[in-house]
Amino acid sequence: MRLSELARGVPGAAVRRGPDYEVERVLQDSREARPGDLFVALKGITVDGHDFAARAAQQGAAVALERDLELGDETAVLHLDRSRWGLGELAAELVGRPARTLRMAGVTGTDGKTTTTHLAAHVLNCSGIEAGYLSTIDFGLGASTRHNLSGHTTIESPALQQMLAGMREGGARAAVVEATSHALVQDRVAACDFDVAAVTNIGLDHLDYHHTWAAYAAAKAGLLELAAGSYAKGLPKTAVINRDDAGHETLARIPIERRWTYSLLHPGADLSADQVREFEGGSSFRLHTPVGSARVDLRLPARFNIYNALCAAGVGLALGADLDAVAQGLSSFPGLPGRLEPVAVGQPFRVLIDFAHSAGALASALAEVRRFAPGRLLVVFGASGRADHDRPGMGRAAAQGSDFFVITTDDPVHEDPVEIARQVQAGVGDREPGKDFEVILDRRRAIRRALALARPADTVLLAGKGHEQSMNFGSRREAWDERAEVEAALREMGFA
C-alpha cells in the first residue's frame, strides 16, 4: 500500500515529505527495518524510538514520527499525533482492518483472563461461530495453534493485526483477545474494534508500572472505553463485568451500550449460577442468563472457575452464541496446562501445577486446593522479577494457606534470587524456618524436596511457572518445563 493511501485511512496521520513509498510492513523495532518497511518511532519509559529513526531511514525504511526530525529528502516521513495508537492503526489498515469483519471480544483482569479467553473461544466454536484467540499460552488460529513465545500476554499491535488477518483469511468469524493492563495503556489493542469487553476482576498488581490501584483500575476500564467507541458492526457493544469484585464500581461508571454483570452472590445479576455442587475436579450448576437457563457440568476445579465460566458465557452470548451451545461448550472444555493441572504417575499424594504468581492468586489457589485436600498442603513458589508483585504478601499467603512451603526461584530476570527470597520471607510472620518452611533457590531441588516430604493423602501445589517453557535470568533464558520436572522427580522416587 502506498504511504499516502495508508495515511488517508488513519486519523491523525499525514505524509510530511519524501517519495510516495510502497509499504509492505509496519514495525516498531529499528533493528529489523529494511526497504519496504514503515518504522514507527515509539516513546517508551526509558527509550525513545525517535532516537533510532535515522538508523531505520539509513536501512531503507520509511519512518512515522510524532515530532519532526531531519532525515534527508530521500526518506519518506509520516507524521502521527500519537505514535503508539498510530502503530496499531497503521498495522490494521495495511492488512485490511480484520477486526471490522470479525466479532471481537477483549478479556482483561488480574486473574482468570487466560482461562476465560480460552473458555470463550471454545464456547463460540461449539456454537458454530468459528473463533480464534490470542492468549498468554498460545494463539488459536483456526486449524493451527502456535505457542506464545513472545514473553508478552498481549503481543505488539503489528503482530496482533497480522494474527487477526490470518484468522479472517482462515475463515474465522470471531476472535477473543487477552488484554493486559500494560497492553491497554500502551495501545497494543488499538484498531481491535471490540464488540465485547470482559473483565474478570481487578486486584492489586503491577503497581511498579501503574503506581496506584486507581490508575490500574482505570487501565482495565480502558477496555470498556475502547469497545464503546469502536467501529459498529450491528452487535450491541457489551461490557461483561464481575458484580462481586471490588472493581465493579469503577467499571459501572463507564458508559456503554449494554452492560451485563455476573455474580455468585447477587441474585439480580444478569448471569448467575445456582444449585452449585463443587467437587475435586470441577463443579455442576444451573446457569442463568438474559436469554434463559441451562445446566453446566464444568470440568475445571475451584470456585473461581465458576466465575470464569459465567464471564465466558456472557462473551459467547453477546457475540451471538446459542444458550444450549454455550452450556455444552462450558461443559466440554478440557482445561488448560498449568492451571491447577494434576500430575499423576502413581504417587499416593496429589500434585498440582498452577500459574499463580501473585499474592492474591497464590492465596486463592491455596484456599481452593485446601477445600479438597484430605491431608497436609505443601506449596513450592517464588516471586518473579518480571513485575512488582507483593512479595511479602506471597510469603504471607503461603504461611496462612499451607502446612509447609518452600520458597524458591521464579524468573528473577535481573534481580538477585537471594534478595527476592528474602523479601518473600519477610511476610511469613511467626512461621519457623526448617520446621514450617525452607528456602531452596534451585527450583529443581525445591520441587524434589517438597515431593520427598509428601505423605499419602497430602497435596503438593507447585505455583508460579504453570505452562511456561523457560526461566528468565535476564541475560539468559533456560529451558524449563514444570510438568516434565515433576514427572522426572516422581519417577526417580520410584513411582510409575
Side-chain angles (χ1 to χ4, degrees):
M1 185 180 291
R2 291 288 177 185
L3 187 61
S4 58
E5 182 184 0
L6 191 58
R8 281 195 297 271
V10 175
V15 178
R16 279 286 187 262
R17 61 180 180 272
D20 198 6
Y21 188 89
E22 184 76 29
V23 179
E24 299 173 5
R25 184 174 64 153
V26 175
L27 78 168
Q28 75 285 354
D29 189 336
S30 63
R31 295 169 297 183
E32 299 177 9
R34 56 175 174 74
D37 290 340
L38 173 59
F39 165 72
V40 180
L42 306 180
K43 188 174 182 179
I45 297 173
T46 58
V47 177
D48 188 344
H50 290 76
D51 296 338
F52 303 96
R55 171 182 179 176
Q58 289 168 3
Q59 292 165 192
V63 298
L65 308 167
E66 280 186 14
R67 53 184 172 85
D68 200 24
L69 296 173
E70 186 55 54
L71 298 172
D73 294 338
E74 70 281 0
T75 299
V77 177
L78 184 73
H79 171 80
L80 293 170
D81 289 340
R82 295 166 52 201
S83 57
R84 266 278 172 200
W85 181 259
L87 176 67
E89 288 282 324
L90 290 165
E93 185 72 15
L94 186 63
V95 295
R97 294 196 177 269
R100 293 190 174 180
T101 54
L102 293 167
R103 305 178 195 185
M104 294 291 301
V107 179
T108 193
T110 303
D111 303 309
K113 56 185 177 291
T114 301
T115 299
T116 302
T117 295
H118 284 254
L119 263 172
H122 183 75
V123 159
L124 289 165
N125 282 306
C126 287
S127 301
I129 301 171
E130 186 173 341
Y133 62 86
L134 305 176
S135 82
T136 298
I137 298 176
D138 52 26
F139 309 131
L141 306 173
S144 64
T145 301
R146 289 168 46 187
H147 289 301
N148 182 354
L149 303 177
S150 70
H152 298 287
T153 291
T154 312
I155 54 179
E156 278 288 1
S157 50
L160 190 156
Q161 293 296 332
Q162 286 282 358
M163 293 279 190
L164 294 179
M167 291 180 198
R168 178 190 59 189
E169 290 159 14
R173 296 167 55 201
V176 186
V177 178
E178 183 178 354
T180 62
S181 58
H182 290 72
L184 289 161
V185 170
Q186 295 170 8
D187 294 327
R188 286 186 231 158
V189 290
C192 280
D193 291 308
F194 292 115
D195 302 292
V196 177
V199 186
T200 59
N201 49 56
I202 304 178
L204 194 64
D205 207 1
H206 300 301
L207 296 191
D208 57 327
Y209 185 80
H210 300 287
H211 304 301
T212 66
W213 183 88
Y216 177 56
K220 297 295 189 185
L223 182 61
L224 277 67
E225 295 170 339
L226 281 178
S230 67
Y231 181 81
K233 294 174 242 176
L235 290 170
K237 300 298 183 180
T238 305
V240 181
I241 58 178
N242 186 345
R243 180 66 182 83
D244 301 342
D245 183 63
H248 172 262
E249 184 177 341
T250 297
L251 299 174
R253 291 196 293 263
I254 307 300
I256 193 166
E257 186 175 355
R258 180 170 65 182
R259 183 180 288 102
W260 282 348
T261 59
Y262 62 95
S263 171
L264 292 177
L265 304 177
H266 293 83
D270 300 285
L271 298 117
S272 61
D274 63 13
Q275 302 175 32
V276 177
R277 186 176 67 87
E278 295 179 73
F279 44 90
E280 184 176 304
S283 61
S284 63
F285 55 88
R286 187 78 177 168
L287 169 67
H288 300 285
T289 79
V291 297
S293 302
R295 192 73 191 169
V296 172
D297 295 301
L298 190 65
R299 294 157 60 184
L300 302 178
R303 193 170 183 81
F304 54 71
N305 274 319
I306 302 178
Y307 279 99
N308 293 336
L310 292 175
C311 187
V315 172
L317 292 170
L319 292 182
D322 173 77
L323 174 60
D324 289 338
V326 166
Q328 189 274 325
L330 295 177
S331 298
S332 62
F333 185 69
L336 292 175
R339 267 63 180 177
L340 291 181
E341 177 186 6
V343 181
V345 293
Q347 78 274 10
F349 49 86
R350 192 178 177 207
V351 179
L352 299 169
I353 296 173
D354 195 73
F355 190 51
H357 58 283
S358 66
L362 182 61
S364 180
L366 287 167
E368 291 295 337
V369 172
R370 171 72 79 186
R371 297 170 63 208
F372 299 101
R376 298 177 305 157
L377 175 54
L378 298 78
V379 61
V380 176
F381 74 102
S384 171
R386 293 181 299 179
D388 182 29
H389 295 302
D390 178 4
R391 292 170 180 174
M394 295 188 74
R396 186 161 50 252
Q400 294 174 354
S402 70
D403 297 294
F404 186 89
F405 55 96
V406 182
I407 300 171
T408 188
T409 298
D410 179 352
D411 291 330
V413 194
H414 297 290
E415 295 188 57
D416 181 358
V418 174
E419 175 59 20
I420 294 176
R422 187 196 65 77
Q423 293 174 22
V424 172
Q425 188 174 343
V428 305
D430 59 0
R431 297 296 293 271
E432 189 177 330
K435 176 186 175 185
D436 299 317
F437 73 95
E438 296 178 13
V439 178
I440 303 175
L441 296 180
D442 183 312
R443 193 174 183 99
R444 187 172 283 112
R445 286 184 52 235
I447 289 172
R448 281 160 171 75
R449 175 59 174 161
L451 296 176
L453 290 172
R455 301 192 289 257
D458 284 351
T459 299
V460 179
L461 175 66
L462 308 174
K465 293 303 295 176
H467 65 282
E468 294 179 332
Q469 295 296 300
S470 66
M471 189 84 76
N472 186 343
F473 290 93
S475 60
R476 72 185 194 281
R477 283 181 178 268
E478 295 183 2
W480 182 267
D481 184 326
E482 192 100 324
R483 185 181 182 96
E485 289 294 334
V486 177
E487 290 179 342
L490 289 169
R491 290 192 175 101
E492 288 171 12
M493 294 170 66
F495 303 114

